[in-house]
Amino acid sequence: MTTPLEGYVGIDTLTEQIRKKALRQGFEFNVMVVGSAGLGKSTLVNTIFKSKVSRRQPEEDYHTPSTVEIKTISHVIEEKGILLKLSVTDTPGFGDQVDNTNCWQPIMRHVNEQYEKYLNEEISIKRRKRIPDTRVHCCIYFIPPSGHSLRLVDIEVMKRLVEIVNVIPVIAKSDSLTLEERERFKATIQQQLIEHNIRVYPDLENLDVDDETERQRNLKLKERLPFAIVGSSTTHQVGSKAVLGRKAGWGVIEVENDAHCEFNHLRNMIIRTNLQDLKEVTAQVHYELYRHRRLETLKKVPLDSVGSTPSSPSYDITNSEPNHKKVANTPKLGETGKAIAASQKEVVEALSESKI
Amino acid sequence: EAAGDYNGSVDEGMRTLNLSGHVGFDSLPDQLVNKATNQGFCFNILCIGETGLGKSTLMNTLFNTNFENEPQHHNMPGVKLKANTYELQESNVRLKLTIVDSVGFGDQINKEESFKPVVEYINQQFENYLQEELKICRSLFSYHDTRIHACLYFISPTGHGLKSLDLKTMKNLDNKVNIIPVIAKADIVSKGELHKFKIKIMNELVTNGVQIYQFPTDDETVAEVNASMNTHLPFAVVGSTEEIKLGNKMVKARQYPWGTVQVENENHCDFVKLREMLVRVNMEDLREKTHTKHYELYRRSKLTEMGFIDDNDGGKNFSLQEVYESKRNDHLNELQRKEDEMRQMFVLRVKDKEGELKKSEKELHDKFDKLKKMHMEEKKKLEEKKKSLQDEITGFEKKRQQAETL
């Protein structure tokens, strides 16, 4: 029930005030890329952000790390007066070992470590005005373009990652697939994701149901997943234009051409439409879940196993809460209330017993 | 704060990169604003001032609406805080506005304790937020924030300076809330006196170390206007919801025989300045300062008072929630225990009273029996007496008859 205003007050200037504040403070965004070596992770990040954010490993020096490493590099980029602190976490060595059992553990440990850091700061007595946010907002998972189906390791890793972070799967180096092969591949992958209950981003249950346009847009995006992408930082001449692309003997694959690949969709989703949402889902859903588990157990749980096994008891928390945002609060005074009611009953009984 | 400098850590290897094309994150502010707008906003104002200073009228004038508050009378036994929440909307911005009024402030003979309910109220809102923040299962993002973002302190237009009640109250509030002092019913004070009055007030505030809210000057787009407004504090305000026709317009004004005071005329009073600062320029900053400065201070001292310290190991603080909860449970158990005690005492007293009543009932019965017995005996005696009298009468009659027949 709104109280009617009889004239202009100026409440609507709040949006402008918030915008100004945001511009002053700047933004931050943390991306993680997960995939085997040579799938074009660094190139993709560089293509999205149109700058040398990641340094590609030169082929001569390349050596397979003996374990999965986690490497984070941060940069500040600026566009039209807006400052963005971008951190990219790479995972060299992932999926490259002979035995890839538990290759997800270092990744999960890294994600959980960031939550842990944030939680530590949040819980301190003396805490900073703005808690530095190193939590991973978005994890891009690179699927090799086999054309068949997800590999076992893909399923195992994604299954665990979606529990703790926003995962966006992409088909890497998709220029090796024809359009029909690509569609078939996607259909198989989508089916496998449903089969294994792997909830990739955007997860419609975490969405604000209020905004219908946003909901529609996210539904469409979801249907397109995983995005078939091609990355490149080199430009070539096509006709009269200079385009970003890969030159092959049979033509130029244009990165930003929707007929060639789905790079634009990925880029638009991550940067132009869903960046804020990615951050909010991380903060309000994944982080809260982590915090909940952490405070509840209060024991030192090994950080790489939190939420790792689908059958572990902590998993039940995920299953029983379909919408994390709306988790009900246990009324702490319910007990006292009941006790008061009971005692009142007692007194009444005592009085009635002793009726003269 | 630019994105690059955080209080504390500056990452190594962080350099500014040049973009070779349009990336598109210039839509970020829009994304942020959209999300915030969808969620709606909260703003809470506390009005402190003596009864009759026009607090309610000013709120009505400020927000162009009639907030339905009956004028309070002057004989309140103590200070009470009354909060009312209203849903306002302007274009796509929804605002949950809570106006808290200090009822009975300054009406008592002894005003030593007047500020205390106000401090308690402010602390209680901080406490509620803190408890929500510390919950294991929390919904901080949909929490209705009731913390006071702005405290309008209404100064009586005496023209002489601050009253000691004013100083005492503001001194107790300045580290808990953003104080914006206003001179109420400023149409009483003449222009010349007003200037002196303002200077006197500001001097007294400075001398007594009262920290009032300063409009921020770190954003260059508003720094100038904010800095200028800071020099006009305290704002001399006049409120009115009545409209008078001036020329061909209807304006909010107060009409006197000697002239008309127009509320929105900056030559007549500072109402426009107040509205500009409070609503149109600094509302967001007021909210932010409440959260990052006043609330943090409360939180820090509350937690320290409860015995928590920052253990750099990090391990100890995880039990923050647990210990806080257990202390709270202790408190609740204590209350429960007291309640049980009271209940038991009550039952005992009832039984005692019952016993007493039974005793006196018995006594009454005994008395009654005794009386009855006495009554019976009396009756018997009387009967006997009656009988003996009757016998006497009969005897006498007999004798008379005998005497008559002789």
Side-chain angles (χ1 to χ4, degrees), chain B residues 7 16 49 78 82 96 142 209 222 244 264 274 295 366 373 388:
Chain B
N7 317 346
T16 317
K82 223 168 57 149
K96 241 196 186 100
S142 47
V222 294
I244 312 280
E264 282 169 302
L274 175 69
Y295 169 70
D366 290 347
K373 216 164 140 201
S388 67

Side-chain angles (χ1 to χ4, degrees), chain A residues 3 6 9 11 17 19 21 24 28 79 122 124-125 127-128 277 288 291 329 343 354, chain B residues 1 6-7 23-24 30 35 64 87 90 133 135 137-138 280 284 288 296 299 310 343 354:
Chain A
T3 312
E6 289 157 27
V9 178
I11 299 172
Q17 295 179 36
R19 184 187 302 268
K21 184 172 93 167
R24 225 174 37 241
E28 45 192 346
E79 189 170 71
E122 200 194 13
S124 304
I125 312 290
R127 54 189 191 183
R128 286 180 263 199
D277 187 60
E288 284 298 312
R291 179 180 176 277
N329 291 321
S343 67
S354 56
Chain B
E1 308 154 59
Y6 282 105
N7 317 346
V23 179
D30 287 324
K35 286 239 171 240
N64 265 329
E87 304 256 355
E90 212 160 50
E133 190 191 82
K135 278 199 184 125
C137 207
R138 63 188 186 182
R280 300 185 187 173
E284 182 56 29
E288 191 176 326
E296 282 301 307
R299 179 182 178 274
D310 269 336
R343 205 177 359 120
E354 205 194 321

Side-chain angles (χ1 to χ4, degrees), chain A residues 5 65 247 286 290 302 322:
Chain A
L5 301 175
K247 191 160 181 182
H286 297 296
Y290 176 84

